[in-house]
Every structure is written in C-alpha cells, then in structure tokens.
Amino acid sequence: MSRTPHDTPTDASAEEGEVMLDGPDGLAMSLTPNAADASAAAIRQAADLARKQKPTAQPKPGHD
C-alpha cells in the first residue's frame, strides 16, 4: 500500500434509515443498514488479518 494509513477511526451515525459515515480526508458516505452490516463484517475480518501482518507504513497521527 502506498498511502500512509490513518489512525483516526471513522464515525458512524444513523439518519432517516441510513448509516452515515464521516472519516478522515473528507470521507463521507451513506449506506443501507444491510450494506453497513456487511461492510462492518468485512472491515473486522480485514482488521484481524492486518494485525497479523507486518506494517509497512506508520499511521498518520490521530488529529485528522
């Protein structure tokens, strides 16, 4: 991966039946509840795998 990973988590909220995401570098998107559930599961699985790997880049400070 060529970009420096962020150390700031993405915020999530629920508005009018949608899951709203707000994160670093201007990340903003909405998902259906089903898409949010599937995304959360995929992110959890990838995070578990990434913890077992050797990092290649230092995270950006948490002030994003």
Side-chain angles (χ1 to χ4, degrees):
M1 176 136 239
S2 61
R3 294 198 58 179
T4 302
H6 288 278
D7 196 33
T8 304
T10 298
D11 292 324
S13 61
E15 294 181 24
E16 298 180 10
E18 297 179 20
V19 176
M20 311 299 286
L21 301 178
D22 182 19
D25 278 348
L27 172 74
M29 65 185 305
S30 65
L31 298 168
T32 64
N34 288 343
D37 281 339
S39 297
I43 290 169
R44 171 61 58 207
Q45 185 176 18
D48 289 344
L49 180 59
R51 282 187 187 91
K52 297 173 186 173
Q53 298 172 348
K54 181 180 177 184
T56 58
Q58 295 298 314
K60 288 185 180 180
H63 65 277
D64 293 329

